[in-house]
Amino acid sequence: DWNVTARTGAPFVKVFEEERELTVMLLVDVSASGNFGSKERFKGEVAVELSAVLAFSAIKNDDKIGLILFSDRVEKFVPPRKGRRHVLRVLRELLYHKPEGRGTDIAAALEYLSRVTRRKAVVFLVSDFLGSGFFRPMAVVGKRHDLIAVRMTDPRELDVPPMGLVELEDPESGKRFVVNTSKAGFREAYQKETRERREALDRDFRRSKVDVIDIEPGEPYVEPLMRFFQQRVRRFR
């Protein structure tokens, strides 16, 4: 430090300590499609619990934690802060927020994040990714932040068992229709469409350099989380 050295006549050296503090943002999908589950729990319930685990982990590491809840609009924004009291506020919002919208607009949530979060952050995007048109904003966020997709997928969304005539309802639009699930042609077409949509989403993740954690509601999620972070440790050594 030349100024201090000149004033005192003795050498003074500044020692800088690297700032290790991270900002962790949770983007949680609260659309109506989360109210589905073929096992013990709904997708939305597991998404909330998993987000709570990530929030507590961030606070334990003395990181800042922020929250964005979204459906077909951004419904709630909690700016990132530290501390136990703050993480309890995040948990209250996760547990007791009543969504106003039913649809899904992932692009709007990512664009909102880009406006309110300037510094680089670790971003967990928790959703079933049933929306569309979010590749470009996802790529933008993926370049600026460390974006991790947490994909919630119920097994019945990938394959329909033969159960005869079944009335189905789209939870986001409210539309109802009757399908013959015993018809092989219907099941093959359904599996083909869901497989192609999932493969296209995987390609978008890779192109955007977004890491993915796949979670199946009703199954333990700790193992997929631990496996993901262990792989990251090995990758960045």
Side-chain angles (χ1 to χ4, degrees):
D1 188 324
W2 295 109
N3 288 329
V4 178
T5 299
R7 289 199 306 271
T8 63
F12 276 78
V13 178
K14 283 185 177 180
V15 178
F16 294 93
E17 291 186 4
E18 182 183 4
E19 188 174 332
R20 306 287 296 180
E21 168 189 293
L22 294 175
T23 297
V24 179
M25 289 297 302
L26 301 175
L27 271 67
V28 184
D29 182 352
V30 294
S31 63
S33 61
N35 300 323
F36 176 76
S38 62
K39 293 188 176 181
E40 295 179 355
R41 308 177 68 188
F42 291 161
K43 291 186 293 182
E45 293 174 333
V46 177
V48 165
E49 185 175 313
L50 188 148
S51 299
V53 169
L54 294 172
F56 272 116
S57 298
I59 291 299
K60 187 175 181 181
N61 290 330
D62 201 31
D63 297 328
K64 294 180 180 179
I65 185 74
L67 175 69
I68 295 175
L69 300 177
F70 69 94
S71 55
D72 51 19
R73 67 202 77 172
V74 173
E75 303 213 0
K76 190 73 179 182
F77 171 52
V78 179
R81 291 193 179 88
K82 289 184 179 183
R84 184 175 178 81
R85 178 177 292 183
H86 178 70
V87 80
L88 291 177
R89 182 197 171 187
V90 170
L91 293 182
R92 281 198 303 272
E93 297 294 348
L94 284 167
L95 290 170
Y96 300 115
H97 179 79
K98 295 183 178 179
E100 298 176 5
R102 297 180 61 85
T104 304
D105 193 339
I106 296 173
L110 291 169
E111 289 164 356
Y112 184 85
L113 172 77
S114 294
R115 292 197 299 271
V116 300
T117 308
R118 298 296 182 183
R119 293 182 59 186
K120 183 173 182 178
V122 179
V123 181
F124 290 92
L125 175 54
V126 186
S127 176
D128 52 17
F129 292 93
L130 296 182
S132 60
F134 54 85
F135 169 72
R136 186 173 182 80
M138 183 170 67
V140 170
V141 171
K143 287 182 180 179
R144 181 180 298 176
H145 303 287
D146 183 4
L147 179 59
I148 301 159
V150 183
R151 178 166 52 184
M152 316 293 298
T153 307
D154 189 276
R156 288 284 76 86
E157 293 174 319
L158 302 176
D159 183 26
V160 177
M163 300 179 295
L165 292 174
V166 177
E167 184 179 26
L168 303 178
E169 179 180 345
D170 184 330
E172 298 194 359
S173 67
K175 292 181 179 179
R176 295 188 176 190
F177 44 93
V178 176
V179 297
N180 185 358
T181 59
S182 295
K183 200 172 181 179
F186 167 78
R187 294 200 308 277
E188 289 171 3
Y190 181 86
Q191 291 169 4
K192 182 175 182 291
E193 181 180 345
T194 55
R195 183 179 64 253
E196 289 176 349
R197 184 170 65 237
R198 191 175 180 88
E199 289 172 352
L201 181 57
D202 286 337
R203 285 195 298 271
D204 286 346
F205 285 147
R206 287 193 296 271
R207 289 165 59 198
S208 304
K209 297 183 179 179
V210 173
D211 288 331
V212 185
I213 308 173
D214 277 307
I215 302 295
E216 182 180 314
E219 297 294 328
Y221 56 77
V222 173
E223 184 177 340
L225 278 180
M226 293 295 293
R227 186 166 57 247
F228 169 77
F229 287 115
Q230 287 166 358
Q231 289 171 350
R232 280 209 145 193
V233 169
R234 289 194 294 268
R235 187 195 311 171
F236 293 120
R237 274 179 178 169

